[in-house]
Amino acid sequence: PPRAPGGRLFRDAMDAADFVEIHSPKLIAGESESGAGVFTTDYFGETACLAQSPQLYKQLAVAGDLGGVYEVGPVFRAENSNTRRHLCEFTGLDFEMPIVAHYGEAIAVGHATFKRIFDGLERDHADLLAAVRAQFPSDPPVVGDAPLVLPFAEACDALRAAGRDIGAADDLSGADELALGALVKETHGVDFFVVDRYPSAIRPFYTMPCADDPAASNSYDFFLRGQEICSGAQRVHDPALLRASLAAKGLDADASDLSKSLKSYLEAFDHGAPPHAGCGFGLERVVFLYLGLDNIRKASLFPRDPKRCAP
């Protein structure tokens, strides 16, 4: 299936950009993503979690001076989401990198990576795509040479002008994303774009706030055919700001019940870390949206959702 060449093309893009491949643990001592459900298991008398992402570890790798890093590995989400685009286990493609001046450097790497994957699929796997498209018709998505980036506020204004009801600090619903995709295609002629500067309130605690507006964040999502396929941000690398951000989310950095994973994460930044940014996306969702399939389960050989754990 297109998942295998998609994963190889991601690795090729990362290797060509001199990123280092890492392999982080999937049994961890606490949640790695706020807002995402977690599976737990017994770990020799203690509670361990199945990793929701390699987020904390790829940041530690950058802080350890490995430069840009990437990972391909399983991701687990204990979310009871019975939708056509959610899975409880999927293959995560992640990268993290030091930045010099602006998180737009990471957006540029992400765009170039996706473009290399998409172009490679059409160039090297035309027979495979033709077989899939004979049963599930779709056209190749239109992807620009440079990233098209829309600030969140501008995206919301465009949606309101089109008649959609969106609050100033609301996240975009699935219907909003589809409507935005249609507007972007009509206005800019592309199926692939980025929305940045999301409200800080709806992003994880480790997301860097905007220097000119702390209510907004240096975050970004990539969209394909009007649906989000990749989420990323500049991370907070200053330890004092990181603890303040944790407190703003209602968590005490010094609490005795704070997970061991988060404690070691916070301690690592006390030793210094460069400004850095990255993103993560699910391989199944990329295949699902790239091929215009009607359900993500068709992009997985043995899908795992809230109602399926066998075969």
Side-chain angles (χ1 to χ4, degrees):
R3 279 176 58 189
R8 283 196 296 271
L9 288 163
F10 172 72
R11 278 194 169 97
D12 289 345
M14 291 284 96
D15 290 342
D18 292 326
F19 279 56
V20 175
E21 183 171 9
I22 63 171
H23 301 279
S24 63
K26 303 309 166 196
L27 280 171
I28 61 175
E31 297 183 16
S32 50
E33 288 281 347
S34 56
V38 61
F39 290 108
T40 59
T41 187
D42 176 73
Y43 193 77
F44 303 103
E46 296 188 7
T47 299
C49 303
L50 293 181
Q52 301 147 299
S53 87
Q55 181 61 48
L56 309 185
Y57 295 97
K58 61 180 184 173
Q59 286 188 254
L60 295 181
V62 172
D65 206 25
L66 286 184
V69 299
Y70 75 93
E71 177 164 347
V72 178
V75 172
F76 304 92
R77 299 286 171 89
E79 297 174 322
N80 193 15
S81 298
N82 295 279
T83 75
R84 68 189 192 95
R85 65 174 189 167
H86 286 93
L87 293 172
C88 294
E89 179 183 354
F90 58 88
T91 302
L93 308 180
D94 281 80
F95 75 80
E96 200 79 17
M97 57 181 277
I99 58 175
V100 176
H102 193 271
Y103 64 88
E105 298 159 33
I107 292 177
V109 169
H111 181 88
T113 299
F114 276 113
K115 186 164 177 55
R116 181 163 181 152
I117 292 171
F118 298 159
D119 289 347
L121 287 173
E122 297 294 336
R123 181 188 65 245
D124 302 333
H125 302 281
D127 55 342
L128 181 59
L129 295 182
V132 175
R133 286 169 174 157
Q135 185 173 3
F136 305 103
S138 68
D139 294 318
V142 179
V143 180
D145 290 332
L148 171 66
V149 182
L150 302 173
F152 180 82
E154 290 184 18
C156 290
D157 287 344
L159 287 168
R160 292 188 194 102
R164 300 202 63 83
D165 183 18
I166 302 173
D170 290 345
D171 201 356
L172 299 179
S173 68
D176 293 333
E177 292 177 357
L178 288 169
L180 181 61
L183 288 171
V184 169
K185 185 63 177 289
E186 179 183 351
T187 306
H188 301 279
V190 296
D191 295 300
F192 188 62
F193 62 95
V194 178
V195 174
D196 74 343
R197 294 174 63 94
Y198 280 80
S200 294
I202 62 174
R203 304 301 278 210
F205 75 91
Y206 49 75
T207 306
M208 180 68 77
C210 291
D212 60 343
D213 181 8
S217 62
N218 292 353
S219 58
Y220 42 85
D221 285 353
F222 287 77
F223 289 83
L224 178 62
R225 302 191 197 274
Q227 297 188 65
E228 178 250 312
I229 61 166
C230 177
S231 187
Q234 178 183 354
R235 325 299 184 179
V236 175
H237 61 279
D238 176 80
L241 180 56
L242 192 59
R243 284 173 167 78
S245 298
L246 197 64
K249 297 289 186 181
L251 295 172
D252 181 2
D254 299 315
S256 59
D257 60 348
L258 193 69
S259 76
K260 292 180 180 179
S261 291
L262 272 180
K263 285 180 180 178
S264 59
Y265 174 77
L266 293 171
E267 290 169 0
F269 287 94
D270 290 332
H271 300 286
H276 58 284
C279 63
F281 52 100
L283 182 55
E284 289 85 348
R285 188 176 289 192
V286 172
V287 172
F288 154 58
L289 292 174
Y290 186 82
L291 293 174
L293 303 176
D294 60 355
N295 196 300
I296 194 171
R297 291 159 185 79
K298 292 176 179 174
S300 177
L301 189 59
F302 298 106
R304 289 292 177 262
D305 60 35
K307 293 182 170 60
R308 178 171 174 169
C309 196

